[in-house]
């Protein structure tokens, strides 16, 4: 009876393992992410960036989400720049969902259409439980790296087709402190400081220089 019970428990446990989501399917070599589908592309970041890991899960049980994260940091592991690369698609069980991005600017980069938006903020702001940001922050923490108090970033979104159910998202982020400003300086009175316009333009230029897209046929 004990052997039968043990066998049933092993079968049950193995069944749980097989039911878990698949691990990340995109491959990373040095400073490059290789994706064979959705989309088929090679994404390259600077050689000075260190790869700290990947994760894949069902985001809010509605989308298949896969992330890869690179960082550039000082000797004390204080992050100066980060690269967040995400492949996401709604699950077949959610046919009613599609992506819809408002605001930002539309740009053509390496033959791909991107919606591009720059932002800044404090890393002490609450993080939504179960979010993709939470997963990225967990990867960073688990690797021993520390986010700066204030950051600025550029988000690139590419929707794969007219169904708008699959996307490629890249977020390039930097420590805000080299600008000599903090989040409270840029939006202290409820309006964005005029200095942000020049900071944003320079940030976008660096993002486009540091991230290279190579669509594959």
């Amino acid at each position: 009876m004990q052997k039968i019970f043990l066998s049933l428990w092993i079968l049950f446990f193995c069944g749980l393992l097989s039911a878990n989501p698949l691990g990340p399917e995109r491959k990373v070599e040095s400073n490059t992410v290789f994706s064979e589908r959705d989309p088929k592309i090679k994404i390259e970041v600077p050689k000075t960036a260190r790869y700290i890991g990947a994760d894949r899960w069902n985001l809010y049980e509605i989308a298949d989400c896969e992330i890869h994260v690179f960082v550039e940091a000082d000797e004390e592991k204080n992050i100066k720049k980060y690269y967040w690369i995400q492949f996401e698609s709604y699950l077949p069980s959610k046919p009613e969902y599609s992506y819809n991005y408002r605001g930002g600017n539309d740009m053509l980069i390496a033959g791909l259409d991107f919606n591009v938006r720059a932002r800044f903020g404090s890393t002490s702001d609450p993080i939504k439980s179960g979010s993709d940001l939470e997963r990225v922050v967990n990867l960073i923490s688990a690797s021993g790296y520390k986010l700066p108090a204030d950051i600025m970033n550029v988000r690139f979104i590419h929707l794969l087709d007219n169904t708008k159910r699959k996307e490629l998202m890249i977020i390039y982020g930097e420590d805000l402190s080299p600008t000599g400003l903090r989040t409270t300086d840029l939006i202290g009175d409820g309006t964005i400081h005029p200095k942000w316009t020049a900071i944003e333009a320079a940030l976008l230029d660096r993002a486009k220089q540091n991230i290279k897209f190579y669509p594959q046929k």
Side-chain angles (χ1 to χ4, degrees):
M1 179 63 72
Q2 289 180 343
K3 289 183 178 180
I4 293 174
F5 178 78
L6 179 60
S7 298
L8 289 173
W9 171 250
I10 291 173
L11 286 172
F12 174 74
F13 182 70
C14 290
L16 286 177
L17 290 177
S18 64
N20 285 340
L22 296 174
E25 63 175 271
R26 278 79 183 184
K27 306 301 180 184
V28 176
E29 294 180 10
S30 183
N31 62 324
T32 306
V33 176
F34 296 87
S35 175
E36 291 299 320
R37 68 171 185 89
D38 299 335
K40 189 170 184 180
I41 194 171
K42 181 174 71 171
I43 302 169
E44 186 178 285
V45 301
K47 292 182 179 180
T48 49
R50 180 181 178 184
Y51 182 63
I52 62 169
D55 199 357
R56 185 181 179 191
W57 75 104
N58 284 346
L59 179 62
Y60 303 128
E61 300 303 321
I62 62 172
D64 179 0
C65 186
E66 178 175 336
I67 57 174
H68 296 268
V69 181
F70 297 80
V71 300
E72 295 186 49
D74 62 19
E75 293 181 357
E76 285 73 40
K77 289 196 168 185
N78 297 303
I79 292 176
K80 303 303 179 183
K81 301 178 182 179
Y82 64 89
Y83 306 83
W84 165 359
I85 299 171
Q86 182 163 315
F87 303 87
E88 185 178 317
S89 59
Y90 284 116
L91 299 174
S93 59
K94 303 294 181 181
E96 71 276 19
Y97 285 87
S98 62
Y99 297 104
N100 182 20
Y101 291 95
R102 300 180 184 276
N105 298 302
D106 294 328
M107 295 184 182
L108 187 67
I109 304 173
L112 300 176
D113 293 315
F114 284 92
N115 179 268
V116 182
R117 185 193 68 187
R119 301 182 75 180
F120 59 87
S122 170
T123 57
S124 64
D125 290 342
I127 298 175
K128 185 177 180 180
S129 178
S131 66
D132 46 2
L133 174 58
E134 182 181 60
R135 294 279 182 143
V136 170
V137 171
N138 287 345
L139 276 177
I140 289 171
S141 298
S143 300
Y145 289 93
K146 293 164 283 187
L147 285 166
D150 297 273
I151 59 173
M152 54 184 177
N153 62 45
V154 181
R155 185 195 68 187
F156 298 85
I157 296 284
H158 170 63
L159 300 181
L160 273 61
D161 54 41
N162 290 333
T163 67
K164 298 183 179 181
R165 288 179 50 79
K166 298 178 181 180
E167 70 173 21
L168 166 65
M169 181 181 79
I170 299 92
I171 296 180
Y172 168 77
E174 290 184 2
D175 181 2
L176 182 62
S177 65
T179 67
L181 300 167
R182 299 198 61 178
T183 298
T184 51
D185 299 320
L186 288 172
I187 198 167
D189 61 355
T191 59
I192 297 178
H193 196 286
K195 287 185 177 181
W196 172 244
T197 300
I199 294 171
E200 177 185 20
L203 176 66
L204 177 58
D205 285 342
R206 290 193 296 274
K208 291 192 290 186
Q209 291 171 7
N210 286 328
I211 305 170
K212 302 300 181 183
F213 302 94
Y214 301 99
Q216 308 293 297
K217 295 182 179 179

